[in-house]
Amino acid sequence: MDSEFWSKDGDRVILVAGDTWFSVHRDALSHHSSVLAGMFDSLPKSPISVCFPCNPPINSTQFLDIDDSPEDLRYILRALLSHGGSLSDQPCVDEVSALARLGHKYQIHSLLDNVAKFLQDHFCTDFNLWSAHDDLVPTGWKPVHAIGVVNIARLLGCPSILPTALAVCCAVNGTEMVRGYERADGTRETLCTDDIARCADTARRLSQGTSAAICHAFATHKESARDSKCSDPKTCGDEMHRLLCAYADTARDRELFTDRHPFRDWKYYLGTRVDESRICEGCNIMLRDRFVERQRELWDRLPAIVGVMVEG
């Protein structure tokens, strides 16, 4: 017997998921899902009496065996019966995954709409909105959980989520990308073989794009000195050359130079060092703007890079 969902009154049905029994009002679920309503209508109408140890018998109740995990079913019941068909304030990846998969299975459209909106708000198509996020994934998630987002996007037919989600998968190390992660019910969430291959190729191309953006920012100081209102072209030119050489020559920085996450803020790469250098304010701004310019171009090409058609 589930301690959270065990109704004792009204026209109820017992949902049996694995070794856990849930007692809920059938009309409350039928209102959200015509699929569940049809399943309930097909159940025998005759009373059934079942005794639990140390409990009185359950009489006149319908029983429905379902092949969902208790963990997934609990998330669905919580959303429908406690949250009015909405997600919790800060949903974990298991909640979002359960609502997407069971919402699709039982055609609970309100849940599917809310899941899609939550994922589209984070794994968005707008570069400015993406850049404003504090992290690659929603609060409390890990980058590897983007694997689940990719699978949800395909399940729900939301291609706009895929480019950003696949780019986040590229930030996951190779072992995690292949093995995926374990869900709350013990099953594993993994990418399909085609998406693993797609991520391997995308990671290389995005790393190359990041390197090109950094080189582009430093490459043409002489031509840009007038536009940047440079106060000391020689000093700024020498400082830029020194910074770029030091960045490329350091083993630690070579890893950053081809970072697997291609859309980090300018300061992550060189912004802090530029601030501490003798480069003037005008050239500092110019470097950042030139880097972001190439970042935006890479972002705009992201659907083509990952091989996903996104309308608009």
Side-chain angles (χ1 to χ4, degrees):
M1 298 170 61
D2 186 74
S3 59
E4 184 175 355
F5 294 101
W6 191 260
S7 172
K8 297 180 180 179
D9 304 312
D11 186 15
R12 56 184 173 146
V13 61
I14 305 295
L15 302 179
V16 183
D19 58 357
T20 306
W21 292 28
F22 300 82
S23 176
V24 295
H25 291 287
R26 55 176 288 166
D27 288 346
L29 295 183
S30 297
H31 171 73
H32 292 282
S33 169
S34 59
V35 174
L36 286 173
M39 295 171 72
F40 296 155
D41 289 342
S42 68
L43 295 174
K45 300 298 190 293
S46 57
I48 300 174
S49 179
V50 177
C51 290
F52 288 96
C54 304
N55 282 288
I58 300 173
N59 295 307
S60 303
T61 301
Q62 294 178 307
F63 287 75
L64 178 63
D65 281 298
I66 56 177
D67 58 0
D68 307 308
S69 72
E71 293 81 7
D72 282 353
L73 183 58
R74 195 172 290 112
Y75 280 122
I76 283 284
L77 296 179
R78 201 173 287 152
L80 296 180
L81 305 180
S82 302
H83 299 157
S86 300
L87 283 69
S88 59
D89 291 339
Q90 286 190 346
C92 65
V93 65
D94 286 319
E95 175 184 346
V96 173
S97 177
L99 298 188
R101 288 181 287 104
L102 270 64
H104 183 267
K105 175 180 178 180
Y106 297 116
Q107 293 298 289
I108 307 174
H109 300 293
S110 60
L111 285 184
L112 298 180
D113 291 343
N114 286 326
V115 167
K117 183 180 185 306
F118 172 79
L119 293 178
Q120 287 167 339
D121 284 347
H122 188 91
F123 298 91
C124 55
T125 59
D126 186 279
F127 179 77
N128 291 332
L129 291 177
W130 174 257
S131 301
H133 289 321
D134 292 331
D135 206 347
L136 291 168
V137 289
T139 302
W141 294 32
K142 298 177 181 179
V144 70
H145 293 151
I147 290 172
V149 176
V150 169
N151 293 334
I152 291 171
R154 295 200 183 282
L155 177 68
L156 302 189
C158 293
S160 66
I161 300 171
L162 284 170
T164 314
L166 286 165
V168 176
C169 289
C170 293
V172 177
N173 69 55
T175 301
E176 277 191 312
M177 189 190 297
V178 173
R179 297 189 69 246
Y181 64 91
E182 188 175 290
R183 295 184 189 140
D185 62 7
T187 60
R188 296 200 71 81
E189 187 82 53
T190 59
L191 290 173
C192 68
T193 303
D194 287 345
D195 278 336
I196 291 174
R198 183 174 284 110
C199 285
D201 182 60
T202 298
R204 174 184 57 82
R205 296 178 66 181
L206 294 183
S207 292
Q208 290 172 345
T210 302
S211 301
I214 295 172
C215 291
H216 174 73
F218 284 90
T220 55
H221 173 255
K222 289 182 180 180
E223 291 81 353
S224 305
R226 286 193 300 272
D227 295 337
S228 68
K229 299 180 182 179
C230 179
S231 59
D232 189 347
K234 184 179 187 312
T235 298
C236 287
D238 290 345
E239 279 289 272
M240 289 184 194
H241 183 262
R242 179 186 66 79
L243 281 177
L244 189 57
C245 288
Y247 188 78
D249 286 343
T250 305
R252 171 179 174 273
D253 288 338
R254 276 202 299 271
E255 295 174 3
L256 297 178
F257 195 78
T258 56
D259 190 272
R260 293 176 69 85
H261 172 39
F263 300 108
R264 295 189 192 274
D265 184 80
W266 164 244
K267 284 190 177 294
Y268 175 84
Y269 296 100
L270 276 172
T272 302
R273 297 183 183 198
V274 172
D275 290 342
E276 296 169 353
S277 72
R278 293 183 295 158
I279 294 174
C280 73
E281 180 64 18
C283 286
N284 191 337
I285 294 172
M286 179 203 71
L287 287 170
R288 182 200 63 205
D289 289 349
R290 289 173 67 81
F291 174 76
V292 172
E293 175 189 16
R294 283 300 177 90
Q295 257 195 337
R296 284 182 180 276
E297 292 176 4
L298 187 63
W299 174 268
D300 290 340
R301 298 202 315 273
L302 188 56
I305 291 172
V306 300
V308 174
M309 293 294 294
V310 179
E311 187 175 348

